[in-house]
């Protein structure tokens, strides 16, 4: 079953919900990535389709806010998106029997606000589950580490959160939506209380902005999720590296997943849909292919950070 994701006016790029299936094709002439040809396929679940809210069934599509470019989760070529997140949500669309439409929004706070207000059905970066979000709930599908991206040679000697007093560190913010940002501001207060210099916390909207902040010297380090930082370090021609991967860095378990409005009737259906993706073997195949083994969960769950 091939389902098409159509352009949303002038801002949403196109990607097949079924782009992970061999031989599927997208609108605007884009084709599926041939590397996914051997991936296990999922089947439409009629019961889950019928459980979707009437509004979504009538529209025939699930509209998902996403960050734009954030490899390895989201990559862009022309007018189409690929990457691990694109494939996971594409498989979810196949299970639910609906189109999936993506709306790029590289403002973290704006994405949370757009979903919590009901402007869009859901959001998937995957976004961090802080356990403290008041207006959204999350269907978590991965668990992340949060290291630092630094220039080659690590000139400031950052090996963890205890080493960042007095330097500039960028993070997605502002506080309240960016959990790494909040950890940095709290740690900065502690630095001052200990008689050390405060951290210059640089709040940014997107992961590419954070990477650029380190490359340009605006920040000494970028504090964010490990998957995209590892990607950018590997593709920097040796200019960047990761540090602090084995440190707690203020996070014991950072779950990430799909954001939905608080108490959304869609949540149990999304959870069950992702469970089908896990059960089919497609989740394991996607995560392994994108070298995201460290981020894998055994099963999806709702608000897992609150359950701890």
């Amino acid at each position: 079953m091939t389902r098409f994701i159509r352009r949303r006016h002038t801002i949403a790029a196109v990607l097949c919900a079924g782009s992970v299936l061999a031989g599927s094709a997208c609108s605007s002439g884009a084709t599926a990535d041939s590397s996914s040809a051997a991936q296990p396929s999922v089947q439409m679940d009629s019961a889950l389709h019928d459980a979707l809210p009437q509004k979504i069934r009538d529209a025939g599509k699930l509209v998902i806010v996403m960050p734009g470019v954030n490899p390895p989760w989201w990559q862009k070529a022309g007018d189409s998106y690929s990457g691990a997140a694109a494939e996971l949500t594409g498989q979810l669309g196949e299970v639910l029997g609906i189109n999936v439409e993506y709306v790029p929004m590289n403002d973290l706070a704006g994405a949370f606000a757009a979903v919590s207000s009901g402007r869009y059905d859901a959001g998937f970066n995957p976004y961090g589950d802080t356990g403290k979000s008041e207006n959204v709930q999350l269907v978590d599908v991965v668990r992340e580490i949060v290291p630092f991206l630094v220039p080659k040679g690590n000139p400031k000697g950052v090996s963890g959160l205890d080493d960042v007093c007095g330097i500039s560190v960028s993070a997605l913010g502002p506080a309240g939506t960016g959990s790494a940002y909040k950890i940095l501001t709290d740690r900065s207060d502690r630095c001052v209380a200990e008689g050390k210099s405060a951290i210059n916390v640089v709040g940014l909207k997107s992961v590419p902005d954070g990477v650029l902040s380190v490359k340009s010297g605006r920040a000494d380090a970028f504090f964010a999720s490990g998957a995209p930082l590892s990607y950018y370090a590997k593709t920097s021609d040796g200019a960047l590296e990761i540090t602090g991967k084995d440190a707690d860095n203020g996070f014991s378990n950072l779950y990430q997943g799909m954001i939905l409005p608080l108490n959304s009737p869609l949540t149990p259906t999304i959870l069950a849909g992702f469970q089908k993706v896990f059960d089919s073997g497609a989740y394991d195949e996607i995560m392994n292919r994108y070298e995201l083994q460290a981020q894998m969960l055994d099963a999806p769950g709702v608000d897992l950070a609150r359950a701890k």
Side-chain angles (χ1 to χ4, degrees), residues 130-207:
T130 65
K132 300 177 181 178
S133 300
E134 297 180 354
N135 299 315
V136 299
Q137 57 189 165
L138 287 96
V139 175
D140 296 315
V141 296
V142 299
R143 179 167 49 209
E144 257 289 22
I145 58 172
V146 186
F148 295 86
L149 183 73
V150 297
K152 179 179 176 57
N154 193 10
K156 296 295 182 177
V158 176
S159 59
L161 197 62
D162 291 337
D163 304 319
V164 294
C165 296
I167 70 172
S168 294
V169 184
S170 56
L172 303 187
T177 52
S179 51
Y181 184 102
K182 179 64 165 60
I183 288 212
L184 285 176
T185 56
D186 289 347
R187 186 65 182 88
S188 183
D189 291 342
R190 182 178 156 193
C191 290
V192 173
E194 294 172 349
K196 302 174 184 176
S197 298
I199 303 167
N200 177 24
V201 183
V202 181
L204 298 172
K205 291 184 175 181
S206 70
V207 170

Side-chain angles (χ1 to χ4, degrees), residues 31-168:
T31 57
D33 185 344
S34 60
S35 66
S36 63
Q39 179 178 311
S41 62
V42 296
Q43 302 297 320
M44 174 183 171
D45 189 302
S46 297
L48 290 181
H49 174 82
D50 293 345
L52 290 167
Q54 189 66 47
K55 172 186 173 184
I56 293 176
R57 280 186 286 145
D58 289 345
K61 62 186 179 183
L62 183 72
V63 183
I64 297 178
V65 175
M66 40 76 77
V69 176
N70 184 26
W73 299 112
W74 298 99
Q75 298 175 342
K76 189 175 183 183
D79 287 333
S80 66
Y81 284 102
S82 61
E87 294 193 22
L88 288 171
T89 51
Q91 289 281 7
L92 178 67
E94 291 289 337
V95 170
L96 300 179
I98 53 172
N99 297 334
V100 179
E101 183 172 272
Y102 302 120
V103 179
M105 185 178 295
N106 69 358
D107 182 342
L108 181 65
F112 272 69
V115 172
S116 65
S117 68
R119 182 180 176 193
Y120 301 115
D121 300 318
F124 195 73
N125 186 5
Y127 292 105
D129 183 353
T130 65
K132 300 177 181 178
S133 300
E134 297 180 354
N135 299 315
V136 299
Q137 57 189 165
L138 287 96
V139 175
D140 296 315
V141 296
V142 299
R143 179 167 49 209
E144 257 289 22
I145 58 172
V146 186
F148 295 86
L149 183 73
V150 297
K152 179 179 176 57
N154 193 10
K156 296 295 182 177
V158 176
S159 59
L161 197 62
D162 291 337
D163 304 319
V164 294
C165 296
I167 70 172
S168 294

